[in-house]
Amino acid sequence: MVKSLCIAALMLISVLTGMQLANDGIHKMKGYDDANFQNAVSIQESGDHISASILGNDISSHDIAAKKKRLEEISAFNFFSSMGKKLSDGISGASEKLIQLITD
């Protein structure tokens, strides 16, 4: 009985130690403790203007607005999206007609 309790306690301590070591390894791998990445992003706000620095690259709110406008122009027509919408509308219509035929 005492032997079983000692083995169970040893196994519990081993599992908890392993979990703590795995947690520490994940934090080191993600770079939480790395001083180089802690100050990688800085954001400054001044009235309507917002500027940020990400890994040394300066980005302002005007740049973001211009990029957003350009993305909207580029993705104005997406062939696969329109084909998917037409296909889903066709399948929906066909299934509704099939259900109406079955219920009538």
Side-chain angles (χ1 to χ4, degrees):
M1 178 74 178
V2 174
K3 195 175 191 180
S4 298
L5 289 175
C6 288
I7 292 174
L10 182 64
M11 289 173 60
L12 177 67
I13 292 170
S14 300
V15 167
L16 292 176
T17 303
M19 289 174 63
Q20 183 63 41
L21 288 173
N23 189 28
D24 292 342
I26 288 172
H27 281 281
K28 286 180 185 176
M29 184 174 63
K30 287 187 176 180
Y32 290 130
D33 298 329
D34 194 356
N36 293 330
F37 292 119
Q38 287 180 353
N39 297 324
V41 177
S42 64
I43 299 173
Q44 298 86 23
E45 292 185 44
S46 59
D48 293 344
H49 185 70
I50 298 173
S51 63
S53 175
I54 300 174
L55 295 175
N57 297 330
D58 293 330
I59 299 172
S60 68
S61 60
H62 299 294
D63 294 338
I64 294 172
K67 287 180 182 181
K68 182 178 179 183
K69 183 179 178 185
R70 183 168 180 245
L71 282 174
E72 288 174 354
E73 291 172 358
I74 290 173
S75 65
F77 179 73
N78 187 346
F79 175 74
F80 294 109
S81 177
S82 64
M83 290 302 295
K85 287 178 184 176
K86 289 179 183 178
L87 180 65
S88 67
D89 289 340
I91 291 173
S92 296
S95 61
E96 286 177 11
K97 288 182 182 179
L98 182 65
I99 291 172
Q100 286 178 357
L101 286 174
I102 292 173
T103 56
D104 288 340

